[in-house]
Amino acid sequence: MLQEAFEDRLRSAVEKTAPDDIADVFARIDAGKVVPIEEARASRRPRLGRLIAACFALILLGGAGFAYQRANAVSSVVSIDVNPSIELRVNANERVLDCSPMNEDAARVLAEMDGGRDLKNTKLDVAVNALVGSLLRHGYLDSLSSSILISVEDNNAARGERLRQTLADEVDGIVKQATVLSRAYAKDAARDDLAKQSSVSSGKAAFVQEVRALNEALDFDALAALSVEELRGMSETGAPAMPIGRAEAARIAAAFAGADGGIPREVESELDENPPHYEVEFAHPTLGELEYRVHAYTGEVIGGKKNALKDSAVSKAEEKQQKTADKAEEKQQKTADKAEEKQQKTADKAEEKQQKTADKAEEKQRKAAEKAVLKRAGFKASQVHDLHTHRDTEDGRAVYEVEFIANGIEYEYKVDAATGEILGWEAEPEEKDPDDDTDPDDDNDTDDDFDDEDDPDDDFDEDDPDDNDPDDDLDDDDKDPDDDQDEDDDKDD
């Protein structure tokens, strides 16, 4: 589609630059018109300008077309294989054009990325990080016997090798336990066809070819069904034969352990050990972990206790009975928990009620003690201030200490909390603040006009020895002739 559009634009530019003017030419000849050479040359100049413009337009169109083609052309194919097999098609700018699952395991891994569509147009290193993280979350790279294969298919050998090294280092920094393998290949149409037929990536197909080159009697499809770890073990030991595979090893181990149809927790291939074998691990609720070793090529069980699971297994009836007993016990426990919770709530309410009753009784006793004290002291509540009552213990007996102030005297009474009996009392003058001008009884206050003794200007001082107050009509010794109340004053006729 891009090529056709480009040709249409090119054809249009040429037609505008060199229009079909043959009819005009013949018309001028028939008319016998002679065009001077110089004029003819001058008339060609505008056409020359249009030709240059058209060429420039072609260059721009060509550049845009080249940029578009570069951005959408596949330059490299990157494969990631464990047992899931995933292919990434990448442009020259290392942007992902497409991400495809090559088998069912890969489809499960890519499900959380909308089947791989979420990775489109992302940078290659970002996409690879996301894929390796998903493989880890799905448990494909969580053991020391795991292997991951990174393959780059590119006709540019230098670019392919650079990508291979970069991605291998990137993945090696993420994966802590698994072995990282990497390859770089030139594109091969025949290999791509084999990969499609076996539902694997082109990179895994190339690895299978490497292993098969060691033993051409081996079947390509059977090898393609093996995991990368199994292929790695075969490549390191010369591929002596076709291994029985993980699924068959698990079946053999389960039958030997007395758990036909049982599903092992983990199966690991150790084809590079002597003897080459599969390690099959079962988990039992009472026996714990049980490990069996199955020869990778003969299928013989070379490690593990025979019928270990069968001898310790309970019958289905016993198992059902145990489940029923467990459910009954669980139900009984829930009932007991509810009863205990209800009982606790009842106890809490009773305690709260009891506390309120005690608080009310305490308040009643406190008020009774205050009432008894005020009655003994001869005061009403309105005649005292700073009334405080607190409970204390003396010699093992609960008492109330009642304190108040009245008429400048501080009182303190002690009352038996149980009987209300007044046990004793004390009284002392109230401590005064020397800066307090509001106390009418404070003789040290120079500004207090209510001081009976020391204010020379106090018109109400009856006992002023200085008789300095000429206006004091209450002075007994005043010789005021006009004071009709002076006992020593001559009678006023």
Side-chain angles (χ1 to χ4, degrees), residues 248-265:
E248 179 63 10
R251 187 196 66 78
I252 293 172
F256 186 83
D260 280 337
I263 300 175
R265 187 176 71 175

Side-chain angles (χ1 to χ4, degrees), residues 186-219:
K187 294 182 179 180
D188 187 321
R191 184 177 64 234
D192 291 345
D193 290 339
L194 281 173
K196 289 180 181 179
Q197 292 171 12
S198 301
S199 298
V200 296
S201 70
S202 180
K204 186 173 182 181
F207 194 23
V208 169
Q209 287 179 329
E210 287 183 29
V211 175
R212 191 168 181 272
L214 300 173
N215 185 348
E216 294 184 355
L218 302 178
D219 181 67

Side-chain angles (χ1 to χ4, degrees), residues 187-395:
K187 294 182 179 180
D188 187 321
R191 184 177 64 234
D192 291 345
D193 290 339
L194 281 173
K196 289 180 181 179
Q197 292 171 12
S198 301
S199 298
V200 296
S201 70
S202 180
K204 186 173 182 181
F207 194 23
V208 169
Q209 287 179 329
E210 287 183 29
V211 175
R212 191 168 181 272
L214 300 173
N215 185 348
E216 294 184 355
L218 302 178
D219 181 67
F220 182 92
D221 290 337
L223 288 172
L226 299 177
S227 68
V228 170
E229 172 59 23
E230 290 170 296
L231 291 174
R232 183 186 70 82
M234 294 182 70
S235 68
E236 293 180 359
T237 56
M242 178 62 68
I244 61 175
R246 294 156 59 94
E248 179 63 10
R251 187 196 66 78
I252 293 172
F256 186 83
D260 280 337
I263 300 175
R265 187 176 71 175
E266 190 173 9
V267 181
E268 297 181 353
S269 62
E270 303 290 352
L271 274 63
D272 55 346
E273 293 190 4
N274 189 20
H277 63 275
Y278 289 94
E279 289 183 358
V280 183
E281 186 178 287
F282 294 90
H284 191 273
T286 57
L287 299 177
E289 295 180 357
L290 297 175
E291 184 178 287
Y292 290 82
R293 294 192 300 158
V294 182
H295 197 287
Y297 296 109
T298 66
E300 178 188 359
V301 178
I302 57 177
K305 182 181 178 181
K306 187 175 180 63
N307 291 328
L309 296 177
K310 183 177 181 180
D311 294 341
S312 63
V314 294
S315 66
K316 290 185 178 180
E318 291 174 333
E319 184 178 354
K320 185 177 180 180
Q321 184 179 0
Q322 184 62 43
K323 286 183 178 179
T324 302
D326 291 343
K327 286 184 179 179
E329 183 179 354
E330 183 180 357
K331 185 177 180 180
Q332 184 178 0
Q333 184 62 44
K334 287 183 178 179
T335 302
D337 291 343
K338 287 183 178 179
E340 183 179 354
E341 183 179 356
K342 185 177 180 180
Q343 185 179 0
Q344 185 61 43
K345 286 183 178 179
T346 303
D348 291 343
K349 286 183 179 179
E351 183 179 353
E352 183 179 357
K353 185 177 180 181
Q354 185 178 359
Q355 184 62 43
K356 286 183 178 179
T357 302
D359 291 343
K360 287 182 179 180
E362 170 74 14
E363 179 69 12
K364 187 176 180 180
Q365 286 181 337
R366 183 183 65 78
K367 288 185 177 180
E370 291 177 352
K371 186 176 181 180
V373 165
L374 292 176
K375 184 177 181 181
R376 171 67 65 85
F379 296 108
K380 295 181 180 179
S382 59
Q383 295 175 319
V384 304
H385 61 92
D386 292 331
L387 176 63
H388 300 290
T389 303
H390 67 274
R391 191 183 181 96
D392 199 358
T393 302
E394 289 187 359
D395 299 328

Side-chain angles (χ1 to χ4, degrees), residues 2-21:
L2 177 64
Q3 186 65 25
E4 291 176 1
F6 182 74
E7 290 176 355
D8 288 342
R9 293 181 182 178
L10 177 61
R11 188 181 300 107
S12 175
V14 172
E15 287 175 354
K16 290 178 180 179
T17 304
D20 186 3
D21 201 23

Side-chain angles (χ1 to χ4, degrees), residues 43-65:
S43 67
R44 292 193 192 102
R45 289 174 185 170
R47 293 187 180 181
L48 180 60
R50 286 198 296 273
L51 179 60
I52 293 172
C55 291
F56 185 67
L58 289 175
I59 292 172
L60 290 177
L61 289 172

Side-chain angles (χ1 to χ4, degrees), residues 95-109:
R95 291 276 179 180
V96 176
L97 302 176
D98 178 67
C99 176
S100 303
M102 308 307 294
N103 55 16
E104 292 182 2
D105 287 348
R108 284 191 289 270
V109 171

